[in-house]
Amino acid sequence: MTQPSTSDNRLSSAERAVISDKLAEGNADLSSTLADSKQPAIVHPNFDPSQSPLDPARPLSDIPEPARRLNGQLRRLYGNSARFYQPNEDSLSKWELVASEALAEHLSLLNAAKLVEFPDNFYQNHSEQPLLSPLSDMTLLDMSDIQQAIRAHPKLNRYGFALADSPVKINKNDGGSNNNVSNNDFNKKDTKASSASLRALTKRYNPDELLNSLYADDWQVILQPQQFETGEGSLATDIMACSVALHALKQCSTRKTINHSYSAAQICQHVRSYLLSQLDLEPAQRYQYRQVRLFAGHIIVAAYHLGWDIQVSHDGQCYFNLSSRNGLLTRYPNMQDYDINGWSS
């Protein structure tokens, strides 16, 4: 038998040990470099090495800073990925704020049927007004704040003062305390009129299922909330909707002398577009924002909270002297402004 050659190129055990030690040191240096360049995804003070750990025996007045919202972690994880929406807010047009593939298909069909017409400023930003601050900065109203507006205006309901604008039959005493709708009475009285309507069809299904993205797109749920309204709940319990309206209106300036006033229904259309834009800016809150259904009554509650003068006209609408140059009216579209031949959102 032939003896194996001792002069081959294979390394000895001592040399292999030295090389493995060098590789381990290099990997340790690389891992430490990566750890220093990228912050950990966990930002709780007990896990973040840059912060001191919480003392369980600390006084009650020692309240730690709240953890950052989930979107901050998503931005660190995904960076500039195309799947994560990080727009340049200064140049976004009205369309880019609410753009989605599903909405684009719907609008293209309406445009082909000559039901809508969009001007150039819908696709290009000609306004110098900044966008409204995101809903992550929103302060929630309390139920007592809504009750104050209801006591001041007992006839105020979720849909405003005009009962004709209500997508469902509501009680006359809809002051916010108990505004439940009798669906049986509604079906008995208006069976013939509503049997062929989409709204009557949607009421046969669980509204929670209809709000799922498998059944309805984001733009449908937010821009057309009347299609998904069942009348359950009341204005007094619509905390999120009133808070969104307040957050948007408090960034708008008013004028004492103005040539044109905006109704609560018109302002509501702009606030709905603002809410729709937040789904792209804050994808982590998409499900929560889809649950918010905005109506004219929420705008009136927000206006009352801001101390605006509330006067009801003969047509049941409430008008406000908003400046036409504020960011809400110039950067976020009112989709009903573009309809022709009777189409409305």
Side-chain angles (χ1 to χ4, degrees), residues 3 30 37 40 53 83 97 100 116 126 130-131 136 150 166 180 189 216 226 249 265 291 307 309 313:
Q3 293 291 334
L30 180 60
S37 61
R83 292 180 175 271
L97 285 171
S100 67
V116 291
H126 300 292
L131 294 177
S136 58
I150 294 175
S166 170
N180 294 329
K189 295 179 181 178
Q226 66 275 6
L249 291 190
Q291 311 300 314
D309 185 23
S313 62

Side-chain angles (χ1 to χ4, degrees), residues 149-193:
I150 294 175
R151 293 193 192 98
H153 304 278
K155 294 184 179 181
L156 178 62
N157 57 76
R158 178 181 291 169
Y159 317 106
F161 292 104
L163 297 181
D165 295 337
S166 170
V168 295
K169 295 287 183 178
I170 60 177
N171 298 331
K172 292 183 179 180
N173 60 349
D174 183 11
S177 58
N178 188 5
N179 305 330
N180 294 329
V181 180
S182 176
N183 291 329
N184 294 330
D185 295 340
F186 173 76
N187 293 331
K188 290 179 181 179
K189 295 179 181 178
D190 301 324
T191 301
K192 295 182 180 180

Side-chain angles (χ1 to χ4, degrees), residues 87-107:
N88 181 10
E89 298 181 354
D90 296 333
S91 60
L92 289 178
S93 65
K94 293 180 180 179
W95 164 242
E96 289 172 327
L97 285 171
V98 298
S100 67
E101 184 178 353
L103 181 57
E105 293 178 355
H106 179 72
L107 295 181

Side-chain angles (χ1 to χ4, degrees), residues 60-76:
L60 295 178
S61 58
D62 183 11
I63 302 176
E65 291 294 327
R68 285 171 287 179
R69 297 182 69 88
L70 183 59
N71 281 347
Q73 300 182 34
L74 290 177
R75 287 189 174 89
R76 292 204 314 275

